[in-house]
Amino acid sequence: MIKNSLNEMIKEILDTCVKWVKLGEDEQLRFIDPIDGEEISAHYGATHAAVSFLIYGEKIHNDNVREMGDKLMDSILKRWKSSINLPGFHNDFNNFALCVAWDYLNKNNKNKKQAKKIKKLVLETPDSNNPTVNWFPMRWYVNIMRYRWTGKEKYKSICDKCRENIKNATYKDGFIDDRLPVGLSFNLQYDLATVAVMQYLRSIGEEIDISLEFGALLNIVAPDGDINYLGRGTNQIFAWGLWVYLLASAGKEEQLQTALDYLRDRIPSMLKNNNIMLNKWPGQEKYMWWDYHYSSVYTAHLLFWLIMAENQM
């Protein structure tokens, strides 16, 4: 029942994202933002969409979706060295998505040429300089992969520094601030993002105890099931794929059902309006958005983490 509900939601979001893939003048695919009319290549919508299409297309035996993911990924890789020079390029998010893609391709004996290129580019691409705490777990994962690929201790040192920074940002009650020093920027969305990706790290073998941090989040869920009602990013969908992943991977079926019930009545209007918030406002107005918010980016991120959640069930 829960898995069926989640798959229905994934397919609804997938159908929307597929429509945003267009052929560019260079005959390469682009993941076009429905409001801005271009691919937001400095952000991470395209990489998260490509990995989602690859993994889920294979899962549902849809060759068209899987091949779209393959071709979009090829396009991203061909343009990578120019994309990383764009202002505001989200290194950690994009490196993270590429590492997930590499892991999928490697484990499933798929497109070895593409996997080899991904590995090469991730080793050549620096981490972000962004000190925001919810970026540290992604950076941690990328450097785990680099360490596994090369055995170089410098990557392990970066992982240790990410762990230390997250620890320093964590309050005694288990909540995690999003800036250091603590006391500058607490909000539920990015606290949740930090814990969810740490859970992903646990799934690949990292020894991390997140029981206190996860418990704090479970205790603060609103009576109606909302988990993103406090601080920067309130009501944005960025939190929700991560929350569903965290609950699914932890086997919290009752709380997962509550989360899916909350989303079920809100996702359709969000998609229809190209919004990044769970309301019925037109996304074109970008009301209460920042200038770095894009519908395609947040929708692809949501799709990616819902698929990661489905893989845990």
Side-chain angles (χ1 to χ4, degrees):
M1 181 69 177
I2 292 178
K3 190 167 184 176
N4 288 341
S5 178
L6 177 55
N7 273 295
E8 288 173 7
M9 193 175 298
I10 289 172
K11 289 175 182 176
E12 186 177 11
I13 300 167
L14 178 70
D15 287 345
T16 295
C17 287
V18 163
K19 294 174 184 176
W20 296 342
V21 178
K22 308 290 183 184
L23 196 63
E25 293 181 359
D26 58 359
E27 299 299 309
Q28 297 294 319
L29 292 185
R30 299 288 193 282
F31 187 59
I32 304 298
D33 188 85
I35 296 176
D36 285 58
E38 62 182 0
E39 182 181 277
I40 314 301
S41 303
H43 287 240
Y44 48 90
T47 53
H48 281 64
V51 182
S52 298
F53 298 161
L54 282 170
I55 295 174
Y56 202 69
E58 183 78 18
K59 180 107 180 181
I60 63 176
H61 308 293
N62 187 320
D63 290 341
N64 289 333
V65 172
R66 182 187 56 77
E67 289 173 9
M68 180 178 289
D70 187 67
K71 291 178 180 178
L72 180 57
M73 181 61 74
D74 275 343
S75 173
I76 291 165
L77 298 178
K78 286 177 181 176
R79 296 179 285 118
W80 185 262
K81 290 188 177 180
S82 60
S83 295
I84 63 175
N85 291 316
L86 293 170
F89 185 77
H90 284 53
N91 300 53
D92 290 341
F93 281 87
N94 286 309
N95 284 334
F96 179 89
L98 289 197
C99 285
V100 172
W102 181 90
D103 194 46
Y104 162 76
L105 294 169
N106 190 58
K107 285 181 178 177
N108 294 281
N109 198 29
K110 302 285 185 182
N111 202 335
K112 293 294 185 180
K113 183 178 179 181
Q114 192 176 80
K116 184 178 180 181
K117 189 167 186 179
I118 286 172
K119 179 178 175 180
K120 180 177 183 293
L121 290 176
V122 171
L123 287 171
E124 292 174 350
T125 305
D127 297 324
S128 296
N129 292 321
N130 195 317
T132 308
V133 173
N134 78 86
W135 291 41
F136 289 138
M138 292 183 288
R139 195 175 305 165
W140 186 344
Y141 172 64
V142 170
N143 283 283
I144 287 172
M145 299 305 292
R146 290 172 176 150
Y147 179 68
R148 291 180 179 179
W149 291 335
T150 68
K152 292 183 178 179
E153 287 295 323
K154 66 178 181 179
Y155 298 126
K156 191 172 183 296
S157 296
I158 295 171
C159 295
D160 292 341
K161 184 63 175 177
C162 290
R163 184 195 292 264
E164 180 184 357
N165 283 331
I166 296 168
K167 181 180 179 180
N168 290 339
T170 305
Y171 293 99
K172 291 181 180 179
D173 58 9
F175 290 108
I176 304 174
D177 215 327
D178 203 40
R179 300 285 292 185
L180 286 170
V182 295
L184 297 177
S185 182
F186 176 78
N187 57 87
L188 280 174
Q189 173 160 263
Y190 299 118
D191 178 344
L192 190 163
T194 302
V195 179
V197 183
M198 289 173 73
Q199 174 73 347
Y200 187 81
L201 290 169
R202 293 180 73 245
S203 77
I204 65 162
E206 284 295 278
E207 294 184 4
I208 313 170
D209 183 0
I210 60 168
S211 55
L212 181 64
E213 293 83 351
F214 189 17
L217 291 170
L218 290 171
N219 287 333
I220 207 170
V221 176
D224 64 354
D226 194 1
I227 188 60
N228 190 19
Y229 57 84
L230 178 67
R232 193 171 88 257
T234 292
N235 204 35
Q236 292 174 3
I237 59 171
F238 183 92
W240 281 97
L242 291 154
W243 181 232
V244 170
Y245 168 78
L246 183 55
L247 295 172
S249 61
K252 298 290 185 180
E253 291 192 1
E254 181 179 349
Q255 293 90 339
L256 177 57
Q257 184 65 66
T258 298
L260 293 175
D261 288 345
Y262 185 89
L263 289 173
R264 184 182 57 221
D265 298 328
R266 292 170 172 83
I267 290 292
S269 62
M270 183 275 293
L271 292 173
K272 180 181 178 181
N273 292 322
N274 297 323
N275 211 327
I276 65 165
M277 296 187 180
L278 296 176
N279 57 41
K280 296 182 179 180
W281 301 335
Q284 285 80 359
E285 295 181 0
K286 296 193 175 184
Y287 182 57
M288 297 186 71
W289 296 23
W290 292 101
D291 58 358
Y292 55 81
H293 284 149
Y294 298 94
S295 175
S296 59
V297 175
Y298 274 39
T299 305
H301 182 268
L302 173 64
L303 176 64
F304 173 90
W305 281 105
L306 291 180
I307 290 170
M308 294 296 103
E310 201 274 344
N311 283 343
Q312 296 293 315
M313 301 174 67

